[in-house]
Amino acid sequence: MRLNTRTLAVALTCAVVATTSAFAGSVTGKVTYDDKVPSLKPLRMDADPACASKHSGPIQQDVLVLGEGNGLANVFLQIKNPPAGDFPAPSSDVIINQEGCMYVPHVAGVRVGQKLMFHNSDGVLHNVHGLPEVNREFNIGMPPTLKEKETSFSKPEAVFPVKCDVHPWMKSYVAVMDHPFFAVSDANGGFTIQNVPDGTYEVIAWHEKLGTQSGSVTVSGGAAKLDFSFMIPKK
Ligand SMILES: [Cu+2]
């Protein structure tokens, strides 16, 4: 095909627009909990006085963390039908700290091959016992003097639990992703999945006690809104 100057200019303009808009979008919204709020007993850390001594008041359980406007924290959200492409894992590490005998953050996503670092800022004996089913189970002893230890995963895997066998209340959740289109809801239930190319997507939202939901959203160059509302699952 022969291109004259004008059609070439139009073609170039379109190419530039396509390039700049292709990754300009995002999926953003809020996850709420819209059911009766159960009264959860504060955690008792009496089993290890060293843990109890790190807290001055009642210690809230981290199984149902609510923020402003019933915002639901610690929901793992991911695009189920991600766009095709090569998405190399970032060189930065994902960090989960053992802090006051709790895991912080409580839920995290890590890419295949990316380093997952466990920090121990407690000066207390912990172990980090991961229970994946696709990847290899791991059990990392973390004596008080060991400040950090790393692991990584070779295959993508849905959210799996990580626990401490010394302190039965300690639990966190990790997902291993082969693409970057995921997020964890923040303290007020907000989330943003960044750099999403234009398209229509199914988004899956997972909560450890409240189950899984999905929603559909169309991204067209900007921030596409998608909210989720969780309730106690009916038996
Ligand atoms: Cu522990």
Side-chain angles (χ1 to χ4, degrees):
M1 185 178 90
R2 285 188 63 197
L3 295 174
N4 62 31
T5 309
R6 188 170 178 282
T7 51
L8 186 60
V10 169
L12 284 172
T13 305
C14 290
V16 169
V17 169
T19 305
T20 52
S21 67
F23 289 89
S26 62
V27 177
T28 189
K30 178 164 174 149
V31 186
T32 52
Y33 174 71
D34 298 292
D35 209 334
K36 189 170 181 290
V37 178
S39 58
L40 297 171
K41 286 186 183 154
L43 280 176
R44 293 188 61 177
M45 294 187 176
D46 310 14
D48 190 336
C51 291
S53 70
K54 294 183 180 299
H55 299 268
S56 51
I59 312 155
Q60 299 301 321
Q61 292 194 36
D62 49 6
V63 292
L64 184 71
V65 178
L66 302 178
E68 284 173 15
N70 283 336
L72 179 61
N74 298 327
V75 172
F76 189 83
L77 303 112
Q78 61 175 298
I79 289 181
K80 191 182 177 188
N81 55 330
D86 186 21
F87 305 107
S91 55
S92 56
D93 303 339
V94 173
I95 297 169
I96 297 180
N97 193 14
Q98 293 155 102
E99 189 180 318
C101 299
M102 308 279 278
Y103 289 111
V104 181
H106 185 61
V107 176
V110 61
R111 298 285 303 280
V112 171
Q114 187 180 16
K115 269 192 214 165
L116 173 59
M117 300 288 295
F118 289 98
H119 287 189
N120 180 5
S121 64
D122 278 341
V124 166
L125 169 68
H126 293 295
N127 76 314
V128 182
H129 191 175
L131 299 165
E133 293 182 358
V134 177
N135 289 284
R136 190 179 299 173
E137 184 176 332
F138 59 95
N139 195 343
I140 304 167
M142 299 207 66
T145 50
L146 186 64
K147 295 292 175 210
E148 59 181 47
K149 191 83 181 172
E150 69 179 67
T151 190
S152 63
F153 305 94
S154 58
K155 300 184 188 104
E157 180 159 2
V159 185
F160 62 85
V162 174
K163 63 176 185 167
C164 175
D165 298 313
V166 184
H167 307 114
W169 62 83
M170 287 181 71
K171 212 164 183 187
S172 70
Y173 295 88
V174 172
V176 186
M177 303 296 295
D178 58 2
H179 63 76
F181 305 106
F182 62 91
V184 178
S185 65
D186 63 24
N188 290 318
F191 74 92
T192 300
I193 301 175
Q194 306 274 11
N195 298 324
V196 182
D198 289 356
T200 296
Y201 302 103
E202 185 181 0
V203 179
I204 305 287
W206 170 94
H207 183 269
E208 63 188 276
K209 293 290 179 198
L210 304 174
T212 302
Q213 293 195 14
S214 68
S216 180
V217 68
T218 297
V219 176
S220 181
K225 198 94 169 65
L226 182 64
D227 294 333
F228 288 93
S229 165
F230 275 86
M231 300 179 78
I232 294 171
K234 300 273 182 290
K235 293 248 169 82

